[in-house]
Amino acid sequence: MTVRLTTAAAAFALLLGGNWALAADKPTDPQIAHIAYTAGVIDVEAAKLAIATSKNKTVVEFAESMVRDHESVNKQALDLVKKLNVTPEDNDTSKALSQAAESKRSELAKLTGADFDKAYVENEAAYHKQVNGALETLLIPSAQNAELKSLLETGLKLFQGHQQHAEHVATELR
């Protein structure tokens, strides 16, 4: 199967700092489903690291809300793709997101105390800002299925709240 890089890659390249060659194609619904699901899994994994590492009650509570919310949205996404009989399609954007997240988790895992808390929360704010931008400008407009588009729009509202929450916690940690 030929997997094309899409303009989604452009949005996520900003997030990842990647230097990818891009095509002008929009992502397909199976690709969008996989990108969105992957983005949620990445945030859950980062949150679990924060829960295990941080001693700051505010940071742990924030991380716990990330696990709860992203696992809930990902469950809804899996239920939707089953209902629609769509198989999420792995793609270069999803793979690059996973690789970049693994690198970031490795960076975070080397930190402790206030340094970890600050780096985790600042990354959460930046990550949500980039994902929200990709949702607004590319993934939602590219989605063809109305139910997928609706789920992405619901996720965007939730993730905008996450971004604001992360920015608020980051301000408290300064």
Side-chain angles (χ1 to χ4, degrees):
M1 169 184 349
T2 301
V3 178
R4 296 182 204 159
L5 290 176
T6 66
T7 23
F12 284 108
L14 294 172
L15 170 69
L16 305 172
N19 295 316
W20 310 349
L22 301 175
D25 297 338
K26 291 182 177 181
T28 63
D29 283 359
Q31 290 172 332
I32 291 169
H34 201 278
I35 292 166
Y37 183 82
T38 300
V41 167
I42 287 168
D43 210 37
V44 168
E45 290 171 350
K48 287 180 177 177
L49 176 63
I51 292 167
T53 304
S54 181
K55 305 291 185 233
N56 183 305
K57 181 181 176 188
T58 302
V59 171
V60 171
E61 287 175 354
F62 172 79
E64 289 171 343
S65 71
M66 294 302 101
V67 170
R68 182 185 56 248
D69 291 352
H70 284 283
E71 285 183 342
S72 176
V73 170
N74 276 356
K75 182 185 179 319
Q76 292 174 51
L78 288 177
D79 290 347
L80 177 61
V81 296
K82 284 179 189 173
K83 174 184 169 189
L84 300 175
N85 199 25
V86 171
T87 301
E89 184 179 310
D90 196 7
N91 55 77
D92 287 347
T93 302
S94 296
K95 291 175 186 172
L97 280 170
S98 294
Q99 289 172 349
E102 186 175 319
S103 174
K104 189 61 177 180
R105 274 194 309 277
S106 293
E107 286 177 38
L108 290 172
K110 294 175 185 168
L111 302 174
T112 59
D115 291 338
F116 173 86
D117 294 339
K118 184 178 178 195
Y120 167 70
V121 172
E122 287 179 354
N123 183 61
E124 282 296 294
Y127 184 74
H128 280 92
K129 182 177 181 179
Q130 293 297 328
V131 170
N132 291 341
L135 281 165
E136 288 177 308
T137 62
L138 182 68
L139 300 178
I140 291 171
S142 298
Q144 298 299 305
N145 179 280
E147 290 180 83
L148 175 59
K149 188 179 289 268
S150 177
L151 180 59
L152 294 171
E153 289 169 342
T154 299
L156 175 60
K157 290 176 188 168
L158 180 65
F159 305 149
Q160 287 171 331
H162 290 172
Q163 180 185 339
Q164 291 172 348
H165 190 180
E167 290 168 348
H168 176 75
V169 174
T171 300
E172 287 182 2
L173 295 176
R174 289 186 185 146

